[in-house]
Amino acid sequence: MQEHDDLITRAQAWLAEDPDPETAAELAALIDAGDTAELADRFAGTLQFGTAGLRGEIGAGPMRMNRSVVIRAAAGLAAYLKAQGHAGGLVVVGYDARYKSADFARDTAAVMTGAGLRAAVLPRPLPTPVLAYAIRHLGAVAGVEVTASHNPPRDNGYKVYLGDGSQIVSPADAEIAAEIARVDTLASVPRPESGWEELGDGVLEAYLARTDAVLTPGSARGVRTVYTAMHGVGKDVVLAAFARAGFPAPVLVAEQAEPDPAFPTVAFPNPEEPGAMDLAFAKAAEVNPDIVIANDPDADRCAVAVPTGDGWRMLRGDEVGALLAEHLVHKGARGVFAESIVSSSLLGRIAEAAGVGYEETLTGFKWIARVEGLRYGYEEALGYCVDPEGVRDKDGVTAALLVAELASELKEQGRTLTDLLDDLAMAHGLHATDQLSVRVSDLSVIASAMAALRAEPPVSLAGLRVVSAEDLTQGTEKLPPTDGLRYYLEGDYKARVIVRPSGTEPKLKCYLEVVVPVAEASDLASARTRGQEILDAIKKDLAAAAGI
């Protein structure tokens, strides 16, 4: 009974401070209904601020995304920035078109202003890379992007960048989280009604001018494209970038062209998810373009699809990553090519052959963007950084431009992206990758799977002996600690498996790669078949070992 009374007391205290009529009404209804199970879930702790910032379902209570949580997060960030000597510094705020995004952006600007910092808000919902660009362009000490990227419709998030234009990493995340924990009541957080700057289109124009820099002057620009914004904020910026560059205007997937926080045509607004590209492929069947390009809702990721003769095939992120790397090498790019450990080892082969630097990092662009001398970085989850001097993060707009340039050049030669992938397989072996991804409603399933694999590591997968099993929580010579497991398998196929919990979604993710030698072009089809057979067998054995 005491526990019940304490729960109700905490809920009533939260309700008394809630500045949002919608979440206040939601919480009041739960209290009035005596729904202790739902209240217990919402008050089981607080949404944790980490290197991904905040991300979660919108709703009332400290375990949900709402204005109260965002105001506290903003106050903690402001206190951290002042403690770092940035009192009076500029914080630039961007936001996507999800539910509550504009409210969360306005609250952030108000808190920064009340704390004595300067705040500037982008003029409307815009791609995340525009915010990442604006931080360095405006000389800000930090940036905040309100977005949940490609998460389900009811989610939102809060992504924090520091003044170098990169997302936060440890220990900044823990230090900001400590400041958030020190926030007492919302009444103690000054939130003036005005005093911040509403930016015009100058920053966007500067970003668009910068996008031209990724292309080679005078290069081919003839590719015909179908484009979908996946109900997000990419359309206007992508169309403007393509027009400036002189490409034919992409044909839009009209049903997904305009921002819509309900994402009505897709189960999950992520080009990687089954069915998400169906409308784009239908449009492609109608207009017969050379390629299909998709952004995720905040346009920091870029998906590419190619014709197969009897339809369309989404390229894997690893395939696009290799294509862009080869294109940049061909354009004479120098510097370091970097990728996360879950991405294909093919990038290392391309870099070695070209005589450019190569680095492997932990998962996420917060790590990739910090590689010294970075010229190009990518991650298998459709993220590509092709202009690190402009945007130190993944950028789905400039990546789309570079893909279009590559496809245009190949088209002039009577070739395709698929042909270039075949060339890479001939030169470096067929790098076949796949993923075993399990979405859960109960996070303990992920913890149990990781614990099972640690307690009893697999001794073989797909009939191949595990010759190396690393627990990445210990870190390695080159990598800081992270919650992950890495296995290398015996034999000529250089098979590799990495298992880790997702940092942004309730998923356990397993990344698989095998390298099949290819002697001549006639071997390509059998190599692809063999590669997929091994990957499928690894998946089956790994799922059994993890109990998923």
Side-chain angles (χ1 to χ4, degrees), residues 145 247 293:
E145 176 72 11
F247 289 104
I293 289 178

Short mmCIF file of all heavy atoms in Angstrom, two decimals, residues 145 247 293:
data_model
loop_
_atom_site.label_atom_id
_atom_site.label_comp_id
_atom_site.label_asym_id
_atom_site.label_seq_id
_atom_site.Cartn_x
_atom_site.Cartn_y
_atom_site.Cartn_z
N GLU A 145 19.75 18.65 -31.93
CA GLU A 145 18.80 18.27 -32.97
C GLU A 145 17.70 17.44 -32.32
O GLU A 145 17.98 16.41 -31.70
CB GLU A 145 19.47 17.46 -34.08
CG GLU A 145 18.51 16.95 -35.14
CD GLU A 145 17.96 18.04 -36.06
OE1 GLU A 145 18.48 19.17 -36.03
OE2 GLU A 145 17.02 17.75 -36.82
N PHE A 247 21.54 18.18 -61.99
CA PHE A 247 20.97 16.86 -62.27
C PHE A 247 19.51 17.02 -62.72
O PHE A 247 18.84 17.99 -62.33
CB PHE A 247 20.98 15.97 -61.02
CG PHE A 247 22.33 15.50 -60.59
CD1 PHE A 247 22.98 16.06 -59.50
CD2 PHE A 247 22.98 14.47 -61.28
CE1 PHE A 247 24.24 15.63 -59.10
CE2 PHE A 247 24.23 14.03 -60.88
CZ PHE A 247 24.86 14.60 -59.80
N ILE A 293 16.62 6.57 -54.94
CA ILE A 293 17.29 7.08 -53.74
C ILE A 293 16.24 7.38 -52.68
O ILE A 293 15.17 7.92 -52.98
CB ILE A 293 18.12 8.35 -54.05
CG1 ILE A 293 19.36 7.98 -54.87
CG2 ILE A 293 18.54 9.07 -52.76
CD1 ILE A 293 20.22 9.16 -55.28
#
